[in-house]
Amino acid sequence: MKKLDAGFYQRADLLQISKDLLGKLIVTNWDGEKTIARIVETEAYEGIGDKAAHSYGDRRTSRTEVMYNAGGLAYVYLCYGIHHLFNVVTNSAGIPHVVLIRAVEPVEGLTYMAKRIGRNDHVHRLGAGPGKLTKALGISVQHTGISLTGNKIYLADDGYKLMQNEIVASPRIGVDYAGDHALWPYRFMIKDHLSISVKTKSISNLEIS
DNA sequence: TCTATGATCCCCT
DNA sequence: GGGGATCATAGAT
């Protein structure tokens, strides 16, 4: 298993990173409670020019500031007053591009995840949704700004390979307020995976690009 | 200071 | 397929 280094995150091609993250592992290790999950769904947020992004129009606030750092950090924020959403900061300093992790498949530490979710969910559904996966992995807003190349939390490649035709795209979820940008096919997932969050009409990979 | 509002999820009908 | 939970943030006063 190989930890993803800063170079992975600091590339300029946001959509490529969003697709590359599919199949990668998220490892968290809080006080010895180690959990590992495989990313199966992501969404790209293209910063200043993206009406769906928190940093649209170059809005710098104490919350969004972390996105302006060079890639390789976590951006975590609270949604609906309840859910902690985990994003990966990408690109170089000054460009607030992020990738939201929307769903994961539990791989290791299942008992910790089930305990954190606090409910007897099916294994494949423990990380099926952006709010659920942070709960299962123990990630919260207190972790915003944390390095993804450290030891507490990091992403890794275990050699899992995806075929190009296993990756499908769709418009992003819950961003209807973003007008025409809500239609951008910036959500990527592993085709027909059991841990995908919500069902929507997907677009075949051939139609995007 | 005050207020509306979400990059959600679950339970109920 | 509708509504409630629950609160930091941002923009308005």
Side-chain angles (χ1 to χ4, degrees):
Chain A
M1 188 159 84
K2 203 174 70 190
K3 189 187 287 188
L4 301 182
D5 60 18
F8 177 91
Y9 304 101
Q10 291 170 6
R11 289 177 293 160
D13 191 337
L14 174 67
L15 301 186
Q16 188 62 52
I17 295 172
S18 303
K19 287 184 273 190
D20 287 348
L21 284 171
L22 295 175
K24 297 297 187 290
L25 300 174
I26 302 176
V27 181
T28 64
N29 196 346
W30 318 117
D31 303 318
E33 296 197 354
K34 188 174 185 182
T35 47
I36 304 181
R38 191 179 306 283
I39 299 169
V40 302
E41 181 178 340
T42 62
E43 273 180 9
Y45 285 86
E46 205 169 23
I48 295 167
D50 181 355
K51 291 180 194 169
H54 290 158
S55 50
Y56 173 60
D58 205 17
R59 192 166 52 225
R60 295 181 88 125
T61 65
S62 55
R63 179 176 67 154
T64 63
E65 194 59 33
V66 64
M67 294 195 274
Y68 286 83
N69 286 288
L73 302 183
Y75 168 53
V76 187
Y77 83 98
L78 191 66
C79 183
Y80 294 102
I82 301 175
H83 302 286
H84 300 255
L85 270 56
F86 173 61
N87 302 251
V88 171
V89 175
T90 72
N91 217 306
S92 46
I95 303 174
H97 288 185
V98 301
V99 179
L100 168 68
I101 308 302
R102 281 197 54 87
V104 298
E105 173 190 24
V107 173
E108 194 180 310
L110 303 188
T111 52
Y112 292 129
M113 296 193 207
K115 186 184 71 181
R116 289 169 184 155
I117 291 286
R119 197 160 10 83
N120 201 12
D121 267 5
H122 189 283
V123 171
H124 285 109
R125 307 309 294 169
L126 283 174
K132 291 184 79 176
L133 73 90
T134 53
K135 196 170 179 185
L137 293 171
I139 299 169
S140 72
V141 290
Q142 66 174 308
H143 300 118
T144 198
I146 197 173
S147 168
L148 295 175
T149 52
N151 293 320
K152 295 274 189 194
I153 176 169
Y154 59 91
L155 273 56
D157 184 348
D158 67 342
Y160 185 91
K161 289 279 187 294
L162 278 172
M163 295 291 109
Q164 212 29 232
N165 63 12
E166 289 178 273
I167 300 176
V168 290
S170 86
R172 293 170 292 185
I173 303 298
V175 296
D176 295 344
Y177 60 88
D180 48 325
H181 294 183
L183 300 175
W184 291 358
Y186 275 19
R187 176 187 182 213
F188 302 96
M189 49 209 146
I190 299 179
K191 189 175 167 59
D192 299 327
H193 196 284
L194 287 171
S195 298
I196 294 300
S197 60
V198 297
K199 275 196 172 171
T200 50
K201 186 164 172 274
S202 60
I203 303 165
S204 93
N205 200 48
L206 298 174
E207 294 171 48
I208 56 176
S209 87

